[in-house]
Amino acid sequence: MTRKYKSRAEAPKDPYRAQPLPTNRPVAVYYRQSSEAQIGNISTTLQTVDMVEHLVHLGWAPESVIMIDMDGGISGQKTIAERPGMSQLVRLIEAQEVGAVAAQDVDRFFRDVTQIQTNLFIDACRRNNVLVLTPNMVFDFNHPTQGRYHMQMFRDQAERAADYLEYHIRGRLVKARHWRSERGMWAGRKIAAGYIVDDRTHLPTGERNPDYRKYIPFEPYAAVIRSYYKLFQEYNGCVEHTWQHIQKQGPFFPEFTEEMIPEGFKYKPVGKHRSAITGKLCPAKDSLRSYLTNVAYIGHWVHKGTIVEWDNHAPIVEYDLFMYAFNSLSATNFHGEPNPDYSPYRAYQPRQPRNQRSQPHPTYAGLLFSDDLEGMPHRRLAAIWNEWNQEYQYNLYIPSGRGCVWCIRSKYVDPVIDAMLLDRLQATTLDESLWAAALHSSQEGNFAEIRRIEGEIKHEKQAQDNIIASLGKLTNDEMILRAQANYEAAARRIKELVAELEHLRTADRRAKTLLRARPALIKIVEHWDSIPSNERRNIFQEFARFITLTRLNRATKRIQIHWRDGSISEQLVMRHTKGFLWEDEDLALLKTLIEGQAEQADILKAFPERNWRQIRDIYMYHYGNDRRFSDIYNVYGGKKRNERRYRNHECWEDTDEYKGAFTELATVGASTDRLK
């Protein structure tokens, strides 16, 4: 039997020898500080500059060191997902883009009491064979014999860091800070702009300082704060206008220097925001809101959002001035309850309630349409309350609220429609043929539409039945979801059709009552002036379908009522003006005549409905240098026949030229009669 040999096995690794550092792969340095106030202190230097130098000394090239410093001011108790820097570090570990991660201490990674996040981090490093380095220890969670020990050691240090934070920092130091703050004493937090803190335990006389750790007005900044309150009042409680004024014109906070603070007092500079226009110190918009509602400026002290000491220190803003700003911005009072005096700034006046308006709501609102918008026929007119004129008007809007094409006051439109409706009622009730036509249109008008909708409902229900029948043959999830969507869409369509059908049947039932309405209509016609507007609207809907308004010119609109029997009534409505609503082509003609020095009579003839004063005023309004005081005769020197200048009240019919032409026409007519 032939002997078989094997290759010599490599010598086993010594499990107690430390693994070599992976200097051939990049290393990530993780930096974290618990609060923004700590950023930049000695710990920052140890975690960044010194740590990088330490890694270079261990053998890494400077370009192989990846600095992760996005977690400045973030607590170590937050989860991995809540820390952008830690999230990036874990992504690098899982992608095996680093061979080691380093930090100044384990507590930089985690202060996790539950150990959940700590174990997730350990597992990621173990699976990807990534070392964790601190200046005193190299953690190798994947070591064949020491791995479990390194895991436990890492957990213990993270837990001790969490315990230190919980019992020493929060249990003793923070508790002592809260004890001071609850008694109106400054405990190290931000100092309100306009104040400094008296840090003297005893006065120069040797007596105990009653204002120890309390706010003292700091006049260079307190004067600026007072100015902000006054500006806010001048701008009627508008933060935006106040802030814009401050950005452009100030007042600005003076640049801080240590010499400004007396010995024994503490101060922390205000925010770093500067005006984009002047570059000087001023509050940001949100900070301005905070200034204007901070009760510290009237002497009260707040701890954890609650006023714990009233009149705790000297105020720097007058009480009435502060309350004006507070009531303009705060919906709650000092006790957290709804503020009964809350009156926020409104850029526009609130809409006047309908029951307090001087005019009733338009009778035919919602029934008026226009075809004046190109490509958008039958556009409904909006009934709008004009706050300036204190009256209702009908507006033709471009879609999406991009502008009003034209408008007309409802007081010009509704009376015309009332008169047209009354004429129709009078003719209908007196004329047997018209009454029969109105009755027939009411009975037959909705039958075809009702039958159409009933057919559509039947079709949609059949579609639902087909979908249910096909479900047993469907195996693809996407096809099942689509079938469900089609079934639900059919259900929604059926609901809409049923509502529309009910509306038509209601209208049909209402139309049938017209059979018994003729005697009542005769009484309505006799007492038309006393009929309420809502009853007039109901009567209109029984006889007509809708109303169309068409703009003929700036002063004239055409009203068309589309009756249910298919006929259309038409009437013009003109806005009463003083002659200032001219069309553009009329203005161009007037300008040509005036500047061409046309004769006065020819100008009056071109505009026979206007008198000379209206013509003169409209020209000076549009083309004069000074619309109020210029005289047309400074620019107009046209000839006047018979050397006569026509007066302001005279129009074309008052001119000698018109009378002469009329006389000449009459003479020609008489001569023609004699020849006959």
Side-chain angles (χ1 to χ4, degrees):
M1 182 175 179
T2 306
R3 187 185 298 272
K4 295 183 179 180
Y5 297 96
K6 298 180 181 179
S7 61
R8 184 175 180 179
E10 295 182 0
K13 295 181 180 179
D14 186 357
Y16 297 98
R17 176 173 294 181
Q19 298 294 331
L21 296 177
T23 55
N24 59 329
R25 300 173 61 191
V27 59
V29 176
Y30 179 71
Y31 162 76
R32 184 189 64 79
Q33 288 286 30
S34 299
S35 65
E36 293 183 3
Q38 296 175 341
I39 299 175
N41 60 13
I42 187 64
S43 178
T44 299
T45 304
L46 292 174
Q47 293 187 61
T48 55
V49 179
D50 290 353
M51 179 57 68
V52 172
E53 293 180 354
H54 176 66
L55 294 174
V56 171
H57 179 71
L58 291 177
W60 272 280
E63 59 271 14
S64 298
V65 180
I66 303 173
M67 177 60 65
I68 300 177
D69 55 357
M70 290 100 76
D71 288 351
I74 298 180
S75 172
Q77 290 189 313
K78 292 186 177 296
T79 64
I80 294 174
E82 292 174 331
R83 288 189 273 167
M86 179 57 71
S87 299
Q88 182 184 0
L89 180 63
V90 172
R91 284 195 297 270
L92 292 175
I93 294 171
E94 294 288 1
Q96 297 184 356
E97 296 181 9
V98 293
V101 296
Q104 181 62 28
D105 202 346
V106 173
D107 62 3
R108 297 301 90 195
F109 290 109
F110 297 100
R111 291 180 182 268
D112 185 13
V113 176
T114 64
Q115 297 287 299
I116 296 174
Q117 302 299 315
T118 306
N119 287 325
L120 291 175
F121 177 76
I122 291 173
D123 181 64
C125 294
R126 180 188 61 79
R127 287 185 289 100
N128 295 282
N129 196 24
V130 173
L131 302 182
V132 178
L133 281 65
T134 66
N136 301 320
M137 181 68 184
V138 177
F139 295 93
D140 184 0
F141 305 132
N142 198 34
H143 194 279
T145 58
Q146 302 295 317
R148 291 182 60 83
Y149 171 70
H150 286 189
M151 292 180 192
Q152 188 60 46
M153 186 185 299
F154 190 88
R155 293 191 190 101
D156 290 343
Q157 292 189 25
E159 186 175 5
R160 282 198 298 271
D163 292 342
Y164 176 81
L165 184 66
E166 184 70 23
Y167 298 109
H168 180 73
I169 302 298
R170 292 182 176 176
R172 299 181 60 184
L173 301 182
V174 175
K175 186 176 181 180
R177 179 182 296 178
H178 288 336
W179 183 89
R180 280 186 172 180
S181 187
E182 288 170 356
R183 286 152 182 78
M185 301 170 67
W186 180 74
R189 64 184 182 185
K190 293 182 179 180
I191 301 174
Y195 283 106
I196 55 178
V197 174
D198 192 344
D199 200 35
R200 301 171 300 171
T201 57
H202 294 80
L203 299 175
T205 58
E207 300 176 357
R208 188 177 182 84
N209 185 5
D211 295 326
Y212 173 62
R213 289 270 174 162
K214 292 193 175 182
Y215 278 177
I216 303 296
F218 182 41
E219 199 54 38
Y221 284 18
V224 176
I225 294 295
R226 282 192 290 269
S227 299
Y228 291 165
Y229 276 86
K230 293 176 182 178
L231 274 176
F232 183 73
Q233 188 177 44
E234 291 175 7
Y235 281 107
N236 299 319
C238 179
V239 175
E240 179 65 29
H241 293 168
T242 306
W243 184 72
Q244 289 179 358
H245 177 101
I246 295 170
Q247 290 286 299
K248 296 176 183 178
Q249 306 176 35
F252 302 104
F253 290 119
E255 297 292 341
F256 175 73
T257 59
E258 295 291 343
E259 293 76 14
M260 299 171 65
I261 307 301
E263 186 178 355
F265 292 82
K266 286 185 176 292
Y267 178 74
K268 292 185 177 181
V270 295
K272 300 178 182 179
H273 179 82
R274 292 182 179 272
S275 168
I277 301 172
T278 64
K280 297 182 179 180
L281 282 171
C282 64
K285 190 186 300 185
D286 291 340
S287 298
L288 180 62
R289 279 182 172 272
S290 178
Y291 289 167
L292 295 173
T293 54
N294 190 349
V295 295
Y297 293 130
I298 54 173
H300 304 330
W301 184 259
V302 176
H303 176 66
K304 292 186 177 180
T306 304
I307 300 178
V308 294
E309 290 291 336
W310 302 79
D311 300 321
N312 180 69
H313 51 267
I316 60 176
V317 178
E318 296 179 3
Y319 183 80
D320 292 340
L321 187 61
F322 176 85
M323 291 307 300
Y324 173 84
F326 185 84
N327 290 332
S328 299
L329 298 175
S330 178
T332 56
N333 60 15
F334 293 163
H335 303 283
E337 300 171 352
N339 185 0
D341 300 319
Y342 180 50
S343 56
Y345 172 82
R346 294 182 183 271
Y348 302 98
Q349 291 297 324
R351 181 177 294 180
Q352 186 179 9
R354 182 177 294 184
N355 58 3
Q356 297 180 10
R357 296 173 183 175
S358 57
Q359 289 184 359
H361 196 260
T363 305
Y364 303 102
L367 300 176
L368 280 77
F369 298 83
S370 178
D371 298 324
D372 287 352
L373 286 179
E374 185 177 356
M376 299 180 183
H378 208 59
R379 180 76 179 169
R380 192 188 302 272
L381 300 182
I384 302 298
W385 174 252
N386 189 317
E387 291 283 351
W388 181 264
N389 295 325
Q390 289 292 297
E391 58 186 356
Y392 281 100
Q393 64 187 35
Y394 294 114
N395 288 16
L396 175 61
Y397 281 115
I398 297 175
S400 303
R402 288 177 289 172
C404 178
V405 180
W406 55 258
C407 64
I408 185 170
R409 298 178 185 179
S410 63
K411 68 180 182 181
Y412 298 144
V413 177
D414 286 4
V416 174
I417 299 175
D418 284 341
M420 296 171 70
L421 177 60
L422 179 60
D423 292 342
R424 185 75 173 190
L425 291 178
Q426 290 173 335
T428 302
T429 54
L430 297 177
D431 192 311
E432 289 293 338
S433 61
L434 290 177
W435 174 256
L439 186 61
H440 178 74
S441 64
S442 297
Q443 291 175 334
E444 299 293 336
N446 295 326
F447 286 171
E449 189 69 11
I450 290 175
R451 287 194 294 271
R452 180 189 66 81
I453 294 176
E454 288 176 343
E456 289 190 18
I457 292 175
K458 184 178 180 181
H459 175 74
E460 296 293 342
K461 288 184 177 179
Q462 183 62 43
Q464 285 185 320
D465 293 340
N466 293 339
I467 292 172
I468 293 174
S470 65
L471 285 178
K473 302 177 181 179
L474 298 179
T475 58
N476 186 279
D477 292 341
E478 183 177 354
M479 295 178 65
I480 294 174
L481 291 175
R482 289 184 179 180
Q484 181 181 356
N486 292 336
Y487 185 89
E488 294 174 351
R492 290 193 297 269
R493 179 61 179 159
I494 290 173
K495 185 177 180 181
E496 295 174 358
L497 290 171
V498 168
E500 187 176 355
L501 181 63
E502 181 61 27
H503 175 75
L504 288 175
R505 285 174 174 170
T506 302
D508 187 57
R509 288 193 297 269
R510 187 173 64 246
K512 291 180 180 178
T513 61
L514 196 60
L515 289 168
R516 302 185 297 272
R518 191 173 187 184
L521 288 177
I522 295 174
K523 291 184 179 180
I524 288 173
V525 171
E526 294 174 354
H527 303 87
W528 181 254
D529 292 337
S530 60
I531 300 299
S533 61
N534 61 329
E535 293 297 332
R536 295 186 185 187
R537 180 185 176 92
N538 293 335
I539 296 170
F540 177 87
Q541 291 180 292
E542 294 292 347
F543 285 86
R545 294 188 294 121
F546 60 89
I547 307 160
T548 300
L549 258 67
T550 305
R551 180 185 186 273
L552 302 181
N553 53 54
R554 296 183 68 184
T556 307
K557 307 290 188 300
R558 181 177 63 222
I559 298 178
Q560 291 179 319
I561 298 180
H562 298 256
W563 304 102
R564 290 190 177 273
D565 61 3
S567 62
I568 298 176
S569 299
E570 181 178 308
Q571 190 165 331
L572 299 181
V573 57
M574 295 187 64
R575 175 179 173 181
H576 302 288
T577 70
K578 298 180 181 180
F580 283 87
L581 290 181
W582 286 48
E583 298 298 320
D584 293 339
E585 54 269 22
D586 292 337
L587 290 173
L589 176 60
L590 175 62
K591 186 174 186 293
T592 301
L593 294 174
I594 292 292
E595 297 180 359
Q597 305 300 317
E599 295 182 1
Q600 189 181 18
D602 292 337
I603 298 174
L604 289 169
K605 184 179 180 180
F607 308 101
E609 297 180 356
R610 315 287 186 181
N611 60 37
W612 182 249
R613 180 172 184 173
Q614 292 174 340
I615 294 173
R616 180 199 67 185
D617 290 349
I618 199 67
Y619 176 83
M620 297 313 301
Y621 179 81
H622 286 281
Y623 305 113
N625 294 329
D626 191 323
R627 297 178 179 178
R628 294 176 296 174
F629 304 113
S630 293
D631 192 342
I632 192 173
Y633 300 112
N634 294 334
V635 294
Y636 173 63
K639 293 187 299 182
K640 297 88 184 170
R641 292 175 185 163
N642 303 324
E643 297 300 326
R644 181 188 173 194
R645 174 177 290 177
Y646 293 110
R647 298 179 181 178
N648 288 337
H649 66 277
E650 292 181 306
C651 60
W652 165 240
E653 294 181 356
D654 300 321
T655 63
D656 295 337
E657 289 78 4
Y658 173 81
K659 294 175 182 177
F662 185 78
T663 303
E664 183 179 352
L665 182 62
T667 303
V668 172
S671 301
T672 304
D673 291 340
R674 284 195 300 270
L675 289 174
K676 289 180 180 180

